[in-house]
Amino acid sequence: MNAPTGFRLDIVAPTVLAVNGVLDFGTAAAALAAMRAALDGEVTQLDLAGVSHCDSAGLACVLAAAAEANRRGRPLRVVGMPASMQALAQVCEVDTLLA
C-alpha cells in the first residue's frame, strides 16, 4: 500500500503491519487511511522500525490507528518505534498510550 509522498505499508505477516518512510504532515492523512484499511484484516502489531522521519502529525496518525484498533476490539501493539519518535511521544506526553 503506497502513498505518493514517501510512505509505505507492508503486511509482513498476517498480523504485522510494517510502516516505512516518512510519517509527517504531508503523509499523515494517507497513512491513516491506509492503516485503517489494513485494520480490516487480522493486524494486531504495528512495526515502526522503517519510519525514517516522524513529526507530530505522524505521531497523531499512529495514535489514531491504535485508537481505531481498540474501538474494533483488537488492540494494536506498537513496536520498533525509532528513538526520535519515542522522544516526540514523550515530549507530547503520549508515550504511555503506545506502550
Side-chain angles (χ1 to χ4, degrees), residues 59-84:
L59 181 59
C61 169
V62 171
L63 289 165
E68 178 70 21
N70 281 329
R71 275 193 294 278
R72 294 180 186 198
R74 209 170 343 128
L76 192 62
R77 185 170 161 240
V78 177
V79 300
M81 186 182 296
S84 61

Side-chain angles (χ1 to χ4, degrees), residues 21-64:
V22 176
L23 277 177
D24 66 4
F25 185 78
T27 63
L32 181 56
M35 287 181 199
R36 284 183 171 151
L39 292 175
D40 288 339
E42 298 297 318
V43 173
T44 59
Q45 184 171 307
L46 186 65
D47 184 353
L48 301 176
V51 173
S52 59
H53 172 74
C54 181
D55 66 10
S56 59
L59 181 59
C61 169
V62 171
L63 289 165

Side-chain angles (χ1 to χ4, degrees), residues 4 13 15 17 26 28 30 32 36 38 48-50 59 67 73 78 86 88 90 93-94:
T15 61
L17 184 63
L32 181 56
R36 284 183 171 151
L48 301 176
L59 181 59
V78 177
Q86 287 177 357
L88 179 60
Q90 288 172 340
E93 298 182 352
V94 297

